[in-house]
Short mmCIF file of all heavy atoms in Angstrom, two decimals:
data_model
loop_
_atom_site.label_atom_id
_atom_site.label_comp_id
_atom_site.label_asym_id
_atom_site.label_seq_id
_atom_site.Cartn_x
_atom_site.Cartn_y
_atom_site.Cartn_z
N GLY A 1 20.48 8.97 -20.73
CA GLY A 1 21.63 8.10 -20.55
C GLY A 1 21.35 6.98 -19.57
O GLY A 1 20.51 7.11 -18.67
N ASN A 2 22.03 5.87 -19.78
CA ASN A 2 21.96 4.74 -18.87
C ASN A 2 23.37 4.40 -18.39
O ASN A 2 24.34 4.48 -19.17
CB ASN A 2 21.36 3.51 -19.57
CG ASN A 2 19.91 3.72 -19.94
OD1 ASN A 2 19.04 3.88 -19.08
ND2 ASN A 2 19.62 3.74 -21.24
N ILE A 3 23.48 4.04 -17.13
CA ILE A 3 24.77 3.71 -16.54
C ILE A 3 24.66 2.36 -15.85
O ILE A 3 23.70 2.11 -15.13
CB ILE A 3 25.21 4.77 -15.50
CG1 ILE A 3 25.03 6.19 -16.04
CG2 ILE A 3 26.65 4.54 -15.08
CD1 ILE A 3 25.27 7.26 -14.99
N CYS A 4 25.63 1.51 -16.08
CA CYS A 4 25.70 0.26 -15.33
C CYS A 4 27.09 0.15 -14.70
O CYS A 4 27.95 1.00 -14.93
CB CYS A 4 25.37 -0.95 -16.20
SG CYS A 4 26.52 -1.25 -17.55
N GLU A 5 27.29 -0.86 -13.89
CA GLU A 5 28.53 -0.98 -13.13
C GLU A 5 29.46 -1.99 -13.78
O GLU A 5 29.02 -3.04 -14.26
CB GLU A 5 28.21 -1.40 -11.69
CG GLU A 5 29.33 -1.10 -10.71
CD GLU A 5 28.85 -1.15 -9.27
OE1 GLU A 5 28.88 -2.26 -8.68
OE2 GLU A 5 28.43 -0.10 -8.74
N GLY A 6 30.74 -1.67 -13.81
CA GLY A 6 31.74 -2.55 -14.37
C GLY A 6 33.10 -2.24 -13.80
O GLY A 6 33.24 -1.38 -12.91
N PRO A 7 34.14 -2.90 -14.30
CA PRO A 7 35.48 -2.75 -13.72
C PRO A 7 36.03 -1.32 -13.78
O PRO A 7 36.70 -0.87 -12.87
CB PRO A 7 36.35 -3.70 -14.55
CG PRO A 7 35.39 -4.68 -15.14
CD PRO A 7 34.12 -3.92 -15.36
N ARG A 8 35.76 -0.61 -14.89
CA ARG A 8 36.26 0.75 -15.01
C ARG A 8 35.36 1.54 -15.94
O ARG A 8 34.53 0.97 -16.67
CB ARG A 8 37.70 0.76 -15.55
CG ARG A 8 37.86 0.25 -16.97
CD ARG A 8 39.32 0.18 -17.37
NE ARG A 8 39.50 -0.21 -18.77
CZ ARG A 8 39.62 0.66 -19.77
NH1 ARG A 8 39.56 1.96 -19.53
NH2 ARG A 8 39.79 0.24 -21.02
N LYS A 9 35.51 2.85 -15.94
CA LYS A 9 34.66 3.69 -16.77
C LYS A 9 34.90 3.40 -18.25
O LYS A 9 36.05 3.37 -18.71
CB LYS A 9 34.93 5.17 -16.48
CG LYS A 9 33.87 6.10 -17.06
CD LYS A 9 34.31 6.72 -18.35
CE LYS A 9 33.26 7.72 -18.84
NZ LYS A 9 33.66 8.41 -20.07
N ARG A 10 33.82 3.18 -18.99
CA ARG A 10 33.96 2.83 -20.41
C ARG A 10 32.66 3.14 -21.14
O ARG A 10 31.58 2.79 -20.70
CB ARG A 10 34.30 1.34 -20.55
CG ARG A 10 34.50 0.86 -21.97
CD ARG A 10 35.06 -0.56 -21.98
NE ARG A 10 34.21 -1.49 -21.27
CZ ARG A 10 33.17 -2.14 -21.82
NH1 ARG A 10 32.86 -1.95 -23.09
NH2 ARG A 10 32.45 -2.98 -21.09
N HIS A 11 32.80 3.80 -22.28
CA HIS A 11 31.66 4.03 -23.17
C HIS A 11 31.20 2.71 -23.76
O HIS A 11 32.01 1.88 -24.16
CB HIS A 11 32.08 4.97 -24.30
CG HIS A 11 31.09 5.08 -25.41
ND1 HIS A 11 29.97 5.88 -25.35
CD2 HIS A 11 31.05 4.45 -26.63
CE1 HIS A 11 29.29 5.76 -26.48
NE2 HIS A 11 29.92 4.91 -27.27
N GLN A 12 29.87 2.49 -23.82
CA GLN A 12 29.35 1.25 -24.39
C GLN A 12 28.66 1.46 -25.73
O GLN A 12 28.96 0.78 -26.69
CB GLN A 12 28.41 0.56 -23.40
CG GLN A 12 29.14 -0.18 -22.29
CD GLN A 12 28.33 -1.34 -21.75
OE1 GLN A 12 27.12 -1.25 -21.57
NE2 GLN A 12 29.00 -2.45 -21.47
N TYR A 13 27.70 2.37 -25.79
CA TYR A 13 27.06 2.62 -27.09
C TYR A 13 26.33 3.95 -27.06
O TYR A 13 26.10 4.55 -26.01
CB TYR A 13 26.11 1.49 -27.48
CG TYR A 13 24.84 1.35 -26.65
CD1 TYR A 13 23.73 2.15 -26.86
CD2 TYR A 13 24.75 0.37 -25.65
CE1 TYR A 13 22.57 2.00 -26.12
CE2 TYR A 13 23.60 0.21 -24.90
CZ TYR A 13 22.51 1.04 -25.14
OH TYR A 13 21.36 0.90 -24.39
N VAL A 14 25.96 4.42 -28.25
CA VAL A 14 25.13 5.59 -28.40
C VAL A 14 23.99 5.23 -29.35
O VAL A 14 24.18 4.49 -30.33
CB VAL A 14 25.93 6.80 -28.92
CG1 VAL A 14 26.51 6.54 -30.29
CG2 VAL A 14 25.09 8.06 -28.92
N SER A 15 22.80 5.73 -29.04
CA SER A 15 21.61 5.43 -29.85
C SER A 15 21.09 6.72 -30.48
O SER A 15 20.89 7.72 -29.79
CB SER A 15 20.51 4.81 -28.97
OG SER A 15 19.34 4.56 -29.73
N PHE A 16 20.89 6.68 -31.79
CA PHE A 16 20.37 7.82 -32.52
C PHE A 16 18.90 7.58 -32.88
O PHE A 16 18.51 6.46 -33.23
CB PHE A 16 21.16 8.05 -33.80
CG PHE A 16 22.56 8.55 -33.57
CD1 PHE A 16 23.61 7.66 -33.40
CD2 PHE A 16 22.82 9.91 -33.50
CE1 PHE A 16 24.90 8.11 -33.18
CE2 PHE A 16 24.12 10.37 -33.28
CZ PHE A 16 25.15 9.47 -33.11
N GLY A 17 18.10 8.63 -32.81
CA GLY A 17 16.69 8.54 -33.16
C GLY A 17 16.45 8.84 -34.63
O GLY A 17 17.11 9.71 -35.22
N ALA A 18 15.49 8.11 -35.22
CA ALA A 18 15.13 8.31 -36.62
C ALA A 18 13.62 8.29 -36.76
O ALA A 18 12.90 7.76 -35.91
CB ALA A 18 15.75 7.23 -37.50
N PHE A 19 13.12 8.87 -37.85
CA PHE A 19 11.69 8.81 -38.15
C PHE A 19 11.31 7.38 -38.54
O PHE A 19 12.09 6.67 -39.17
CB PHE A 19 11.33 9.78 -39.27
CG PHE A 19 11.56 11.23 -38.93
CD1 PHE A 19 12.55 11.95 -39.58
CD2 PHE A 19 10.80 11.86 -37.97
CE1 PHE A 19 12.76 13.29 -39.28
CE2 PHE A 19 11.00 13.20 -37.65
CZ PHE A 19 11.98 13.91 -38.31
N GLU A 20 10.09 6.98 -38.19
CA GLU A 20 9.66 5.60 -38.41
C GLU A 20 9.74 5.20 -39.87
O GLU A 20 10.16 4.09 -40.21
CB GLU A 20 8.24 5.41 -37.89
CG GLU A 20 7.74 3.98 -37.98
CD GLU A 20 6.39 3.79 -37.32
OE1 GLU A 20 5.78 4.80 -36.90
OE2 GLU A 20 5.94 2.63 -37.23
N ASP A 21 9.36 6.11 -40.78
CA ASP A 21 9.36 5.74 -42.19
C ASP A 21 10.75 5.73 -42.82
O ASP A 21 10.91 5.43 -44.00
CB ASP A 21 8.43 6.67 -42.99
CG ASP A 21 8.79 8.15 -42.83
OD1 ASP A 21 9.34 8.51 -41.78
OD2 ASP A 21 8.51 8.93 -43.75
N ASP A 22 11.78 6.05 -42.02
CA ASP A 22 13.15 6.01 -42.52
C ASP A 22 13.89 4.74 -42.11
O ASP A 22 15.00 4.48 -42.62
CB ASP A 22 13.94 7.22 -42.00
CG ASP A 22 13.67 8.48 -42.80
OD1 ASP A 22 13.15 8.37 -43.93
OD2 ASP A 22 13.98 9.58 -42.30
N ILE A 23 13.35 3.95 -41.19
CA ILE A 23 14.09 2.81 -40.67
C ILE A 23 14.40 1.78 -41.75
O ILE A 23 15.52 1.28 -41.85
CB ILE A 23 13.34 2.16 -39.49
CG1 ILE A 23 13.44 3.06 -38.26
CG2 ILE A 23 13.90 0.78 -39.17
CD1 ILE A 23 14.85 3.21 -37.70
N ASP A 24 13.42 1.45 -42.58
CA ASP A 24 13.67 0.48 -43.66
C ASP A 24 14.72 1.03 -44.64
O ASP A 24 15.55 0.27 -45.16
CB ASP A 24 12.39 0.16 -44.41
CG ASP A 24 11.44 -0.71 -43.59
OD1 ASP A 24 11.91 -1.32 -42.61
OD2 ASP A 24 10.25 -0.77 -43.93
N ARG A 25 14.71 2.32 -44.87
CA ARG A 25 15.71 2.93 -45.75
C ARG A 25 17.10 2.83 -45.12
O ARG A 25 18.09 2.57 -45.82
CB ARG A 25 15.35 4.39 -46.03
CG ARG A 25 14.03 4.59 -46.78
CD ARG A 25 13.68 6.05 -46.86
NE ARG A 25 14.62 6.80 -47.67
CZ ARG A 25 14.70 8.14 -47.67
NH1 ARG A 25 13.91 8.85 -46.86
NH2 ARG A 25 15.57 8.76 -48.44
N PHE A 26 17.18 3.02 -43.81
CA PHE A 26 18.47 2.86 -43.14
C PHE A 26 18.95 1.41 -43.22
O PHE A 26 20.14 1.15 -43.42
CB PHE A 26 18.37 3.30 -41.68
CG PHE A 26 18.65 4.76 -41.46
CD1 PHE A 26 17.68 5.60 -40.95
CD2 PHE A 26 19.90 5.29 -41.77
CE1 PHE A 26 17.94 6.94 -40.74
CE2 PHE A 26 20.17 6.64 -41.56
CZ PHE A 26 19.18 7.47 -41.04
N ALA A 27 18.02 0.47 -43.06
CA ALA A 27 18.41 -0.94 -43.16
C ALA A 27 18.97 -1.25 -44.54
O ALA A 27 19.99 -1.97 -44.66
CB ALA A 27 17.20 -1.83 -42.86
N ARG A 28 18.35 -0.72 -45.58
CA ARG A 28 18.86 -0.94 -46.93
C ARG A 28 20.22 -0.25 -47.12
O ARG A 28 21.11 -0.81 -47.78
CB ARG A 28 17.85 -0.43 -47.97
CG ARG A 28 16.58 -1.27 -48.05
CD ARG A 28 15.78 -0.93 -49.29
NE ARG A 28 15.28 0.43 -49.26
CZ ARG A 28 14.10 0.79 -48.73
NH1 ARG A 28 13.31 -0.14 -48.18
NH2 ARG A 28 13.70 2.04 -48.76
N ARG A 29 20.36 0.92 -46.55
CA ARG A 29 21.65 1.62 -46.67
C ARG A 29 22.77 0.81 -46.02
O ARG A 29 23.85 0.67 -46.60
CB ARG A 29 21.56 3.01 -46.04
CG ARG A 29 22.91 3.74 -46.01
CD ARG A 29 22.81 5.12 -45.40
NE ARG A 29 22.18 6.07 -46.32
CZ ARG A 29 22.00 7.36 -46.02
NH1 ARG A 29 22.39 7.83 -44.84
NH2 ARG A 29 21.45 8.17 -46.89
N LEU A 30 22.51 0.27 -44.83
CA LEU A 30 23.53 -0.55 -44.17
C LEU A 30 23.90 -1.73 -45.04
O LEU A 30 25.09 -2.07 -45.19
CB LEU A 30 23.02 -1.02 -42.81
CG LEU A 30 22.81 0.05 -41.74
CD1 LEU A 30 22.16 -0.56 -40.49
CD2 LEU A 30 24.11 0.74 -41.36
N GLN A 31 22.90 -2.38 -45.62
CA GLN A 31 23.16 -3.53 -46.48
C GLN A 31 23.95 -3.12 -47.72
O GLN A 31 24.94 -3.78 -48.08
CB GLN A 31 21.85 -4.19 -46.89
CG GLN A 31 22.03 -5.44 -47.74
CD GLN A 31 20.70 -6.12 -48.04
OE1 GLN A 31 19.64 -5.64 -47.66
NE2 GLN A 31 20.76 -7.24 -48.71
#
């Protein structure tokens, strides 16, 4: 996890890990 400072507590993002050979497939799925 990473934390930075701001006006109040707030979730910013979450990152999921994928296998390298799946990234292009995920890009096509999003499209």
Side-chain angles (χ1 to χ4, degrees):
N2 294 295
I3 313 172
C4 63
E5 200 164 88
R8 65 185 185 93
K9 193 261 184 177
R10 181 170 57 87
H11 169 81
Q12 282 208 319
Y13 68 81
V14 62
S15 178
F16 291 89
F19 296 112
E20 184 174 6
D21 56 332
D22 280 342
I23 287 294
D24 288 343
R25 297 173 66 195
F26 271 118
R28 290 194 295 271
R29 174 179 285 181
L30 293 174
Q31 182 176 2

